Amino acid sequence: MTGDTGQGNGHAGEYHPGRPEGYTTEGALRVEDPAATTGLGTVHEPARDTPVHAETDVLVVGGGPAGCAAAISARRAGARVTLVERYNHLGGLSTGGLVIWIDRMTDWTGFPVISGFATEILDRLPAEAVAGAPRALWGSTDPVHVEHWRERLGAARDTVTWSPMVDPEWLKTVSAELVHQEGISLVLHSWVVGTIREGRTVRGVVFESKEGRRAILAKVVVDATGDLDVCAQAGAPYESDVETDESPVAHTLNTSWVWAGVDFGRWLEFRRTDPRGHAALMAAARETLGYVERPFVGWRDDVALFLGPRLSGYSALKVADLTAVELESRRRMLAHLEFFRAHAPGFERAWLLLSAPQLGVRHTRRLIGLHKMTRAEWMDGVVHADEVGVSPSPSQKYANISVPYGALVARDFDNVLAAGRHIASDPATQAFMREIPQCWLTGQAAGVAAALVLATGATAATVDVGQVQRELLRQGAHVRPATEDVPAR
């Protein structure tokens, strides 16, 4: 992710196509009333000319799961692509956030409905960097297999699933290698801080790095920031139900952590053979610490993953909150380490391997698009004519969930697509569409669409969805309609 700047209502820079030096950014840092936020008044920044760093066909902002998929799929569909990322690595929360449990990619029958780029990136990892159920067991309801894989987060609702643990360093490496091999222009260590808008067109972005303030101009833009920063910085309205959503987990923040030196086999044996002892130990941890996080086995048995703590009452768009969550998460990490070393079988020699370089954010803003994904639609099993992907459903009660192209198209712009956790949806749908495989899915669809918008001269809203579907099929994605008679939007 990149460009998480907090305020989303600043005025965009003004584009001057006749000026070789680019554009002016006068007003780009303004918000409606910054003095009301800090009480300290304002500082005037004079207008300046910002150098243009690059021009590109498709600009992808954010190098997380959605951004990587978007950049690579757009390149394979024929576009020149530039990918901008604020961290030193690709993969976003699937690597830097230590969300290394890749949630379900199979449906309840065991069919891999999320495929294409998602399958390819995992297949490129070495065998020792992936731990998940073998393909022959996907969809199995055998209690023995279910129990074994449930302990490893590889089973849900009494069904074995394809939901592996991965080594985050290998996923970073493979992602970067693939981007390089495809000839994508990669810009790391660069934070997008402004959007260049002209009417309904986003001409590019302003970013800052060790080289100062620069711009990238593009014909089509994919907002894969996770927080909808590009659209918000351009002044587009968005949805956010942080205060009112019925699902508080969606709005918690945390820094995850990983320990090494663990004998996870001993821990699982303890849980399995002494359930009362395990329950008593976790209760004692809760009483001693005031909270307790459950350990999960990582991609190898001597690594333990803690996906918490889930801290509520904070906003991922406020720097003070982000700072507080980082500090509290690390405090709890050390408290857990002390307790588990003293009391938990298999953790006597545990040591801190890594705390996540990226904060775990589940929800901030959501796109206002051409089609809002809703719980009512997928509960009724609706299959959209403009389907660009299929997500597993939350339970066996529901059919596989059709992901419409319209959920990726920004209502307020002609050349902007969104991919990742901020696509157009209601809160209940965002709760699973934010997961890593679904981000790969929407990223691949957005990248293909961006390349076809460029190639055909259409807008994001009027591009031939049938063409998008056929290119997705060519790239290995699972899409159901994909027929010649699918109408253009």
mmCIF file of all heavy atoms in Angstrom, residues 116-135:
data_model
loop_
_atom_site.group_PDB
_atom_site.id
_atom_site.type_symbol
_atom_site.label_atom_id
_atom_site.label_comp_id
_atom_site.label_asym_id
_atom_site.label_seq_id
_atom_site.Cartn_x
_atom_site.Cartn_y
_atom_site.Cartn_z
ATOM 1 N N GLY A 116 -5.639 -17.938 -11.572
ATOM 2 C CA GLY A 116 -4.936 -16.934 -12.355
ATOM 3 C C GLY A 116 -3.673 -16.472 -11.652
ATOM 4 O O GLY A 116 -2.830 -17.286 -11.242
ATOM 5 N N PHE A 117 -3.536 -15.164 -11.466
ATOM 6 C CA PHE A 117 -2.354 -14.624 -10.815
ATOM 7 C C PHE A 117 -2.165 -15.229 -9.428
ATOM 8 O O PHE A 117 -1.033 -15.516 -9.010
ATOM 9 C CB PHE A 117 -2.456 -13.098 -10.704
ATOM 10 C CG PHE A 117 -1.297 -12.486 -9.973
ATOM 11 C CD1 PHE A 117 -0.118 -12.209 -10.637
ATOM 12 C CD2 PHE A 117 -1.377 -12.202 -8.615
ATOM 13 C CE1 PHE A 117 0.975 -11.662 -9.962
ATOM 14 C CE2 PHE A 117 -0.301 -11.658 -7.934
ATOM 15 C CZ PHE A 117 0.882 -11.388 -8.607
ATOM 16 N N ALA A 118 -3.254 -15.427 -8.698
ATOM 17 C CA ALA A 118 -3.175 -15.958 -7.333
ATOM 18 C C ALA A 118 -2.514 -17.328 -7.318
ATOM 19 O O ALA A 118 -1.681 -17.629 -6.450
ATOM 20 C CB ALA A 118 -4.576 -16.030 -6.726
ATOM 21 N N THR A 119 -2.875 -18.180 -8.260
ATOM 22 C CA THR A 119 -2.266 -19.508 -8.340
ATOM 23 C C THR A 119 -0.811 -19.407 -8.755
ATOM 24 O O THR A 119 0.072 -20.073 -8.184
ATOM 25 C CB THR A 119 -3.036 -20.376 -9.344
ATOM 26 O OG1 THR A 119 -4.380 -20.549 -8.892
ATOM 27 C CG2 THR A 119 -2.377 -21.741 -9.508
ATOM 28 N N GLU A 120 -0.544 -18.556 -9.735
ATOM 29 C CA GLU A 120 0.818 -18.434 -10.248
ATOM 30 C C GLU A 120 1.797 -17.959 -9.184
ATOM 31 O O GLU A 120 2.900 -18.505 -9.047
ATOM 32 C CB GLU A 120 0.848 -17.468 -11.430
ATOM 33 C CG GLU A 120 2.251 -17.240 -11.982
ATOM 34 C CD GLU A 120 2.302 -16.201 -13.084
ATOM 35 O OE1 GLU A 120 1.232 -15.737 -13.526
ATOM 36 O OE2 GLU A 120 3.432 -15.854 -13.514
ATOM 37 N N ILE A 121 1.435 -16.957 -8.431
ATOM 38 C CA ILE A 121 2.380 -16.397 -7.465
ATOM 39 C C ILE A 121 2.703 -17.405 -6.374
ATOM 40 O O ILE A 121 3.850 -17.502 -5.914
ATOM 41 C CB ILE A 121 1.832 -15.073 -6.867
ATOM 42 C CG1 ILE A 121 2.937 -14.295 -6.160
ATOM 43 C CG2 ILE A 121 0.680 -15.320 -5.932
ATOM 44 C CD1 ILE A 121 3.936 -13.670 -7.071
ATOM 45 N N LEU A 122 1.725 -18.214 -5.966
ATOM 46 C CA LEU A 122 1.993 -19.245 -4.961
ATOM 47 C C LEU A 122 2.792 -20.399 -5.557
ATOM 48 O O LEU A 122 3.668 -20.964 -4.891
ATOM 49 C CB LEU A 122 0.682 -19.754 -4.363
ATOM 50 C CG LEU A 122 -0.090 -18.749 -3.507
ATOM 51 C CD1 LEU A 122 -1.393 -19.379 -2.998
ATOM 52 C CD2 LEU A 122 0.744 -18.255 -2.327
ATOM 53 N N ASP A 123 2.517 -20.754 -6.813
ATOM 54 C CA ASP A 123 3.255 -21.835 -7.463
ATOM 55 C C ASP A 123 4.732 -21.478 -7.649
ATOM 56 O O ASP A 123 5.579 -22.371 -7.761
ATOM 57 C CB ASP A 123 2.641 -22.165 -8.821
ATOM 58 C CG ASP A 123 1.340 -22.952 -8.701
ATOM 59 O OD1 ASP A 123 1.038 -23.424 -7.594
ATOM 60 O OD2 ASP A 123 0.631 -23.082 -9.722
ATOM 61 N N ARG A 124 5.044 -20.205 -7.709
ATOM 62 C CA ARG A 124 6.432 -19.776 -7.881
ATOM 63 C C ARG A 124 7.244 -19.858 -6.590
ATOM 64 O O ARG A 124 8.471 -19.760 -6.624
ATOM 65 C CB ARG A 124 6.479 -18.341 -8.424
ATOM 66 C CG ARG A 124 6.127 -18.230 -9.906
ATOM 67 C CD ARG A 124 6.057 -16.779 -10.357
ATOM 68 N NE ARG A 124 5.886 -16.673 -11.795
ATOM 69 C CZ ARG A 124 6.884 -16.489 -12.671
ATOM 70 N NH1 ARG A 124 8.118 -16.368 -12.225
ATOM 71 N NH2 ARG A 124 6.654 -16.412 -13.960
ATOM 72 N N LEU A 125 6.591 -20.012 -5.469
ATOM 73 C CA LEU A 125 7.308 -20.140 -4.203
ATOM 74 C C LEU A 125 7.944 -21.523 -4.094
ATOM 75 O O LEU A 125 7.370 -22.520 -4.551
ATOM 76 C CB LEU A 125 6.349 -19.934 -3.028
ATOM 77 C CG LEU A 125 5.670 -18.568 -2.915
ATOM 78 C CD1 LEU A 125 4.664 -18.586 -1.772
ATOM 79 C CD2 LEU A 125 6.696 -17.465 -2.708
ATOM 80 N N PRO A 126 9.121 -21.629 -3.500
ATOM 81 C CA PRO A 126 9.695 -22.959 -3.290
ATOM 82 C C PRO A 126 8.836 -23.770 -2.324
ATOM 83 O O PRO A 126 8.103 -23.207 -1.495
ATOM 84 C CB PRO A 126 11.077 -22.657 -2.696
ATOM 85 C CG PRO A 126 10.977 -21.271 -2.158
ATOM 86 C CD PRO A 126 9.982 -20.550 -3.000
ATOM 87 N N ALA A 127 8.936 -25.073 -2.430
ATOM 88 C CA ALA A 127 8.062 -25.952 -1.650
ATOM 89 C C ALA A 127 8.177 -25.694 -0.154
ATOM 90 O O ALA A 127 7.178 -25.747 0.581
ATOM 91 C CB ALA A 127 8.394 -27.408 -1.969
ATOM 92 N N GLU A 128 9.387 -25.376 0.323
ATOM 93 C CA GLU A 128 9.568 -25.179 1.760
ATOM 94 C C GLU A 128 8.997 -23.859 2.250
ATOM 95 O O GLU A 128 8.970 -23.596 3.459
ATOM 96 C CB GLU A 128 11.049 -25.262 2.119
ATOM 97 C CG GLU A 128 11.914 -24.158 1.532
ATOM 98 C CD GLU A 128 12.502 -24.514 0.177
ATOM 99 O OE1 GLU A 128 11.973 -25.434 -0.488
ATOM 100 O OE2 GLU A 128 13.501 -23.867 -0.219
ATOM 101 N N ALA A 129 8.523 -23.003 1.323
ATOM 102 C CA ALA A 129 7.970 -21.703 1.705
ATOM 103 C C ALA A 129 6.451 -21.696 1.739
ATOM 104 O O ALA A 129 5.833 -20.658 1.978
ATOM 105 C CB ALA A 129 8.460 -20.618 0.744
ATOM 106 N N VAL A 130 5.824 -22.849 1.513
ATOM 107 C CA VAL A 130 4.363 -22.952 1.493
ATOM 108 C C VAL A 130 3.939 -24.161 2.311
ATOM 109 O O VAL A 130 4.475 -25.254 2.119
ATOM 110 C CB VAL A 130 3.819 -23.107 0.055
ATOM 111 C CG1 VAL A 130 2.293 -23.096 0.057
ATOM 112 C CG2 VAL A 130 4.366 -22.029 -0.858
ATOM 113 N N ALA A 131 2.987 -23.972 3.208
ATOM 114 C CA ALA A 131 2.469 -25.084 4.003
ATOM 115 C C ALA A 131 0.945 -25.063 3.933
ATOM 116 O O ALA A 131 0.300 -24.167 4.478
ATOM 117 C CB ALA A 131 2.932 -24.977 5.450
ATOM 118 N N GLY A 132 0.381 -26.030 3.234
ATOM 119 C CA GLY A 132 -1.065 -26.108 3.101
ATOM 120 C C GLY A 132 -1.499 -27.502 2.711
ATOM 121 O O GLY A 132 -0.665 -28.352 2.372
ATOM 122 N N ALA A 133 -2.783 -27.745 2.751
ATOM 123 C CA ALA A 133 -3.309 -29.070 2.430
ATOM 124 C C ALA A 133 -2.988 -29.448 0.996
ATOM 125 O O ALA A 133 -3.083 -28.598 0.089
ATOM 126 C CB ALA A 133 -4.824 -29.093 2.653
ATOM 127 N N PRO A 134 -2.622 -30.706 0.731
ATOM 128 C CA PRO A 134 -2.387 -31.138 -0.653
ATOM 129 C C PRO A 134 -3.668 -31.064 -1.466
ATOM 130 O O PRO A 134 -4.777 -31.190 -0.925
ATOM 131 C CB PRO A 134 -1.893 -32.572 -0.497
ATOM 132 C CG PRO A 134 -2.396 -33.014 0.834
ATOM 133 C CD PRO A 134 -2.427 -31.789 1.696
ATOM 134 N N ARG A 135 -3.535 -30.877 -2.756
ATOM 135 C CA ARG A 135 -4.687 -30.670 -3.635
ATOM 136 C C ARG A 135 -5.707 -31.806 -3.520
ATOM 137 O O ARG A 135 -6.920 -31.573 -3.601
ATOM 138 C CB ARG A 135 -4.217 -30.524 -5.077
ATOM 139 C CG ARG A 135 -5.311 -30.052 -6.030
ATOM 140 C CD ARG A 135 -4.836 -29.938 -7.458
ATOM 141 N NE ARG A 135 -5.849 -29.323 -8.291
ATOM 142 C CZ ARG A 135 -5.842 -28.065 -8.681
ATOM 143 N NH1 ARG A 135 -4.859 -27.267 -8.297
ATOM 144 N NH2 ARG A 135 -6.801 -27.582 -9.437
#
